[in-house]
């Protein structure tokens, strides 16, 4: 068999996964895309192992390791996503922007006057404790019943 | 030995000032001793130095701390008769002022800083006197400037004190800048900052630009010694506490300029142009300030203008090349002017007002402050130049010097040939001196009569109940610390002039020029002074008669007439202002102050006072009261253009330069905003950029191979 | 160029134009895998994406089988299909994946991502084809006990040469286990 | 040609087994439960002992309308029963019935294959649970997933014990290496394997995902007619596969006292005996609570499996 077939398939699969990682909004979907990329790497490893007839079977052994690590990764990743979902009320990657630079025309760090109070609470509503509490509550209820 | 003592003289008050500032409010009990004792010790040491040095000798010592580029600067001491005698004067006056202040400013919350600043001021003056190096002298000179700024602005709660302090500082600085350049030019020509070196250079004819140097130095002298046209700060500086006025006027700050010219007189004698300028300046200062003094209502302003006039005498003496006469007058003037100010302080303290008109309403003022009454009489007699008081002899010595100069035989004390002094200078100074003698006698008499001798019948009835109330005015309540310095100073005010008669003692300290007045000037001066006294007395009698008429005639018409005829324009003070003024006079309870202030305000508002000034001055009254509008002239000629220029600069700064700055700041800000957009918190965007970079690298590597 | 390529390949005895049966199957399954993967990253129904991922991963298991890596293939099935995808579905359900299309499944970054992915794919495929177009690998005959990917062969290398990484991996798994438990534990004061 | 024909034949045979044996097990369950619980209903259909009850059930299921809920994800809803059923069909291929190639396809990694493919079956439950657009179904699906993930581990560990004892993961290889004393040696592993398998099949007492008193019927709540029958079929197929595997791994499979030709009979006997046990357990034990279920797996079965693994290792080292 031509090595080009698995190699090209792996390359294309990798790029598909790449697209998924860059384009998907839901964190779980991103994790799935990461799995696709990892599998592309695995395919390459296996193909090259077969081609090279490595006596150590380095390719296949590494594939096994990769699969194991991927399993660990997905477990941890999902735990993180679930926790984020529980605390933030969303699993959308592009809404988790606590690390972003605040907008230049935004409010000053502290409330400057009496009028600033309600505005403050309004603008903070996406991350305000009220709405995620209900969401988290329902999610917790479901998880508890499982 | 002498050197050690001399170094200690400026050092002690300096350390006292530091200790006083450090002790501050934490140890209030220490402040007064820390202020008084070092000053008194310095005075004693100054006396010791003067005695130790003896007559006709001088001492020069110098040490160089560190080499500087260019002309070396030495910590030099130059002691001779001029410096030691003036140091004694400074020490005595400063000691009296410090003692006086302990009582005068007893209740002042800022007494600690005040006392420390006075000590520092004294130390700076000592430094100026003893310094043998122009740069070190300049240090003392500038320290005095900043101290005067703080002391004049002592009552910084008051608007006039604030503006007066700033004015004093700015006007003297205006003179100091040319002064600084003058020193540099002098040092550049002489090749040294040492005074002895400069004098030697002057004697050897090494100074190539004497006129330029002398004129530049004169600017600083005019500023410091309050000579026309830079004298305007001095009357305004009366906003400071009265002891500070005494210190500034009598001994320290204003004396510094005269002392400097006396020190560097050989330089000035090289340039007849500078002497003419100095003479004209002195003449204008003398006459103008005497006229102004006659028109003032504020007792301290009267004294301030008289100081300006007396300084004009000294400057005139210097212009005629006789620095002995100048320093002699400086000594006697220091004594009697300090006496006058301290006595005026007592009077103000008792009357709770600065206004002569208001004082004339107080029938028992004379009895309340007998010490001030008598010592002030002595001081005024000395000021007017009535023999045998000290002022007579020193003033006559100045007139004699002028007369000799007018005849072409100036008393230069061997510093230069008598022909170095133009005869015109002598004539100018002589005429102006005689005229000023007349005017001085007039305003001295007026001051005394209006303040103390207004008859009870001329006092308005409205004022009587206020002052007759029991307990409002405890008679002779002035503390000892304020009374004894007056008598202490009265002694030299009376007797100091006599030492000039002794032909060998005082001149031997100085250049050896005879200080005995010549017969013609003595007679002429005495006549002029007596005439002034008499004229003033006559005018006062007439004014009193008018007031008495007004009391019996129709009050309204008389009041109007009186208002037109007798009221000095300077008294147009608002009653509220006077009250505010009073509230700051220390040593009195506020209720007392209010009671007195009521009567004073009433008096000022009705304006019935037997003041001879208007009768004497006639149409000159208004301009003279306002200092001949010099302040307005300055405002128009200097202040407004400066303000306009500042506005222009401000506009340029805010609108033009800041635009560039804002642009310079804006460009990075825009760039930052652009870059900041990249940090949107979205991990996918970051990842996209990362992958794009990786792809580009991969392509580049692939293509490169 | 294609002709030259074909000529160069045929000169070595293995032509792209005359594929073997395994190659045909591999390409067909590969196309299926690719299609499933594309659907995984493009469908707007979240659970469908996970199910398409199952198809893609299962197809990959078949590809492993075709590459004679039997053990890897079954591990792929066991771990990926049996556990990872189940976990993913679990996570989707816990984050309340809706039935039907989610219009916001793709972020605003999708066109950038598409461009990047296409460029990257072009680059990678070009490079890979350029490098391996003439490379032929001989697949061992299936059924022989000493084949490449048999359980025995894998076990032997794993426990002979790869013991240390294997043990390190077990530590990593343990850490991941502990981490997942800690992360998903609900704190008492929160509950 | 012959290999292809043989392969086809084997596939057909496996299919036949797949289609009949679960039905037999289902019928047995009916009967056994009816007898155990003294139920009279299933005893009437067809006259003798109610032999036609299964046929009646089939006809009933076939007659029922195939309903897909309006809010459901239609395709996945319809696909779910197949996904649930197919893995068992695949697994059956690899289970050896008798010696000498009496197996659908002998695989090198047979045990591995079997366990891997069995794990896929849960996807059917998940798909069904999610696609039904019913919260009971969703809960059932999620419970299925959690249960599967929890019990997969002890099951694998127990199977690993046997593989370790035999030194191979090939099912035929394991049977080839079997000795009678393996039964007491691996009995604990057998217990763990069987119990975990029951849990994976969601059979009572591990039927929390379909607990009718809590969540109606879990993932299958919305299913009717033939699709529901397919789920039932998959459950019985699962029982068949589990029992066959347990028989093969722990009870010696075709090994028996008599002639080797009767090996297939021994396998079937053991399988059905185990299936009877499964049915027996259903009527004997009450359902576990969810937390009990999880605790049972993590704190009881896994330590037990690990102990078995250790024992196997020790014995293996000793005898070699």
């Amino acid at each position: 068999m031509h090595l080009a077939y698995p190699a090209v398939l792996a390359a294309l699969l990798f790029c598909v996964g790449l697209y998924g990682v860059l384009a998907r909004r839901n964190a779980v979907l991103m994790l799935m895309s990461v799995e696709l990329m990892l599998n592309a790497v695995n395919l390459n490893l296996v193909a090259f192992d077969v081609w090279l007839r490595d006596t150590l079977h380095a390719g296949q052994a590494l594939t096994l390791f990769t699969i194991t690590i991927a399993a660990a990764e997905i477990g941890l990743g999902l735990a993180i996503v679930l926790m984020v979902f529980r605390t933030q009320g969303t699993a959308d990657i592009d809404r988790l922007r606590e690390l972003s630079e605040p907008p230049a025309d935004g409010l000053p760090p502290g409330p400057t006057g009496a009028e600033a109070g309600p505005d403050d609470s309004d603008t903070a509503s996406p991350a305000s404790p009220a709405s995620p509490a209900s969401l988290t509550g329902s999610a917790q209820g479901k998880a508890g019943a499982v | 030995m002498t050197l050690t003592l001399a170094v200690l003289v400026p050092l002690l008050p300096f350390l006292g000032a530091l200790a006083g500032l450090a002790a501050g409010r934490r140890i209030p009990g220490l402040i007064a001793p820390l202020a008084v004792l070092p000053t008194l010790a310095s005075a004693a040491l100054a006396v010791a130095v003067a005695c130790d040095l003896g007559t006709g000798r001088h001492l020069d010592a110098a040490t160089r701390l560190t080499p500087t580029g260019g002309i070396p600067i030495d910590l030099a001491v130059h002691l001779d008769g001029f410096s030691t005698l003036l140091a004694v004067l400074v020490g005595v006056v400063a000691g009296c002022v410090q003692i006086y202040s302990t009582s005068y400013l007893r209740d002042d919350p800022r007494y600690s800083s005040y006392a420390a600043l006075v000590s520092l001021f004294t130390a700076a003056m000592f430094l100026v006197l003893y310094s043998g190096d122009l740069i070190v002298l300049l240090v003392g000179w500038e320290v005095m400037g900043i101290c005067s700024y703080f002391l004049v602005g002592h009552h910084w709660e008051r608007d006039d004190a604030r503006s007066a302090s700033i004015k004093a500082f700015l006007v003297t600085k205006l003179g100091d800048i040319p002064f600084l350049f003058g020193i540099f030019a002098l040092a550049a020509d002489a090749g040294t900052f040492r005074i002895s070196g400069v004098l030697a250079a002057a004697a050897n004819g090494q100074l190539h630009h004497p006129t330029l140097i002398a004129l530049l130095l004169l600017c600083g002298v005019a500023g410091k010694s309050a000579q026309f046209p830079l004298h305007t700060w001095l009357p305004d500086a009366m906003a400071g506490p009265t002891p500070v006025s005494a210190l500034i006027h009598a001994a320290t700050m204003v004396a510094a300029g005269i002392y400097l010219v006396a020190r560097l007189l050989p330089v000035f004698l090289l340039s007849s142009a500078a002497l003419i300028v100095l003479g004209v300046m002195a003449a204008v200062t003398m006459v103008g300030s005497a006229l102004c003094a006659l028109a003032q209502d504020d007792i301290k302003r009267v004294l301030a203008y008289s100081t300006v006039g007396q300084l004009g005498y000294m400057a005139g003496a210097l212009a005629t090349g006789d620095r002995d006469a100048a320093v002699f007058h400086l000594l006697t003037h220091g004594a009697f002017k300090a006496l006058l100010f301290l006595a005026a302080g007592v009077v103000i303290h008792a009357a709770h007002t600065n206004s002569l008109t208001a004082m004339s309403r107080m029938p028992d003022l004379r009895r309340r402050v007998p010490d001030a009454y008598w010592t002030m009489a002595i001081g005024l007699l000395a000021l007017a130049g009535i023999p045998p008081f000290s002022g007579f002899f020193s003033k006559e010595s100045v007139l004699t010097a002028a007369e000799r100069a007018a005849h072409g035989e100036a008393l230069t004390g061997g510093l230069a040939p008598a022909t170095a002094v133009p005869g015109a200078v002598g004539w100018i100074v002589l005429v102006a001196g005689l005229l000023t003698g007349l005017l001085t006698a007039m305003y001295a008499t007026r001051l005394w009569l209006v303040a103390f001798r207004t008859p009870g019948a001329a006092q308005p009835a409205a004022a009587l109940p206020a002052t007759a109330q029991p307990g409002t005015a405890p008679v002779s309540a002035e503390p000892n610390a304020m009374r004894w310095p007056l008598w202490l100073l009265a002694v030299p005010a009376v007797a100091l002039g006599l030492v000039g008669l002794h032909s060998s003692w005082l001149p031997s300290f100085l250049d050896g020029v005879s200080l005995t007045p010549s017969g013609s000037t003595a007679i002429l001066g005495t006549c002029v002074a007596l005439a002034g006294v008499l004229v003033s007395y006559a005018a006062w009698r007439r004014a009193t008669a008018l007031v008495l008429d007004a009391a019996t005639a129709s009050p309204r018409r008389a009041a109007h007439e009186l208002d037109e005829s007798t009221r000095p324009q300077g008294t147009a003070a608002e009653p509220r202002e006077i009250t505010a003024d009073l509230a700051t006079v220390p040593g009195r309870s506020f209720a007392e102050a209010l009671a007195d202030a009521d009567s004073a305000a009433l008096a000022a508002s009705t304006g019935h006072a037997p003041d001879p000034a208007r009768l004497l001055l006639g149409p000159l009254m208004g301009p003279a009261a306002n200092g001949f509008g010099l302040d307005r002239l300055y405002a128009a000629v200097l202040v407004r253009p400066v303000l306009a220029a500042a506005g222009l600069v401000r506009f340029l700064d805010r609108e033009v330069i800041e635009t560039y700055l804002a642009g310079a700041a804006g460009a990075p800000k825009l760039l930052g905003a652009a870059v900041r957009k990249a940090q949107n918190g979205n991990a996918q965007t970051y990842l996209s950029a990362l992958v794009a970079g990786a792809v580009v690298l991969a392509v580049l590597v692939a293509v490169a191979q | 160029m294609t002709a030259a390529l074909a000529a160069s390949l045929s000169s070595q005895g293995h032509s792209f134009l005359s594929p073997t049966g395994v190659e045909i199957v591999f390409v067909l399954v590969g196309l299926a895998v690719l299609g499933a993967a594309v659907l995984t990253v493009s469908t707007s129904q979240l659970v469908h994406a996970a199910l398409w991922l199952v198809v893609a991963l299962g197809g990959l298991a078949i590809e492993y089988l075709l590459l004679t890596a039997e053990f890897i293939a079954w591990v792929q099935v066991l771990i990926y299909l049996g556990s990872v995808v189940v976990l993913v579905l679990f996570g989707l359900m816990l984050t309340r994946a809706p039935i039907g299309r989610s219009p916001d499944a793709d972020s605003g970054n999708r066109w950038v991502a598409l461009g990047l992915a296409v460029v990257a794919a072009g680059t990678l495929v070009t490079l890979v084809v350029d490098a391996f177009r003439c490379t032929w690998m001989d697949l061992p005959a299936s059924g022989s006990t000493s084949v490449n990917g048999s359980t025995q062969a894998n076990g032997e290398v794993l426990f002979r040469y790869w013991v240390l990484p294997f043990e390190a991996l077990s530590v990593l798994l343990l850490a991941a286990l502990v981490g997942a438990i800690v992360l998903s534990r609900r704190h008492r004061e929160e509950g | 040609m012959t290999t292809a024909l043989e392969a086809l034949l084997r596939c057909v045979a496996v299919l036949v087994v797949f289609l009949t044996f679960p039905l037999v097990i289902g019928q047995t369950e009916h009967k056994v439960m009816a007898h155990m619980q003294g139920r009279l209903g299933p005893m009437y259909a067809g006259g003798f002992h109610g032999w036609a009850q299964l046929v009646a059930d089939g006809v009933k299921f076939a007659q029922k309308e195939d309903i897909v809920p309006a809010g459901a994800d239609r395709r996945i809803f319809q696909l779910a029963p197949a996904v649930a059923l197919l893995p068992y069909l695949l697994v059956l291929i690899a289970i050896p019935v008798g010696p000498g190639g009496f197996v659908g396809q002998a695989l090198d990694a047979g045990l591995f294959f079997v366990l891997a493919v069995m794990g896929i079956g849960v996807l059917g439950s998940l798909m069904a649970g999610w696609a039904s657009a019913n919260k009971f179904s969703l809960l059932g699906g999620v419970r299925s997933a959690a249960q599967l993930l929890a019990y997969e581990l002890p099951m694998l560990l127990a199977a690993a014990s046997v593989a370790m004892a035999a030194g191979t993961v090939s099912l035929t290889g394991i049977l080839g290496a079997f000795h009678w004393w393996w039964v007491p040696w691996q009995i604990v592993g057998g217990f763990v394997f069987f119990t975990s398998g029951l849990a994976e099949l969601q059979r009572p007492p591990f039927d929390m995902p379909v607990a009718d008193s809590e969540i109606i019927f879990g993932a299958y709540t919305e299913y009717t007619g033939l699709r529901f029958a397919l789920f039932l079929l998959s459950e019985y197929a699962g029982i068949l596969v589990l029992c066959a595997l347990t028989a093969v791994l722990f009870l010696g499979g075709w090994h028996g006292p008599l002639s080797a030709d009767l090996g297939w009979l021994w396998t079937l006997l053991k399988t059905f005996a185990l299936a009877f046990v499964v049915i027996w357990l259903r009527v004997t034990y009450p359902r576990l609570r969810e937390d009990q279920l999880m605790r049972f797996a993590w704190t009881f079965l896994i330590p037990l499996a690990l102990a078995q693994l250790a024992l196997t290792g020790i014995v293996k080292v000793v005898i070699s």
Side-chain angles (χ1 to χ4, degrees), chain B residues 7 27 53-54 78 82 196 201 212 223 226 244 259 301 303 310 345 347 403 413 465 517 564 675 679 684 698:
Chain B
V7 169
I27 319 168
L53 193 68
H78 176 82
F82 291 96
S196 50
L212 176 71
V244 171
Y259 171 77
R301 288 179 80 90
L303 295 177
Q310 302 307 307
V347 172
E403 183 199 18
E564 288 299 305
V675 175
Q679 199 199 343
Q684 286 177 327

Side-chain angles (χ1 to χ4, degrees), chain C residues 33 116 118 139 189:
Chain C
V33 167
L116 267 178
V118 168
L139 295 177
E189 59 270 18

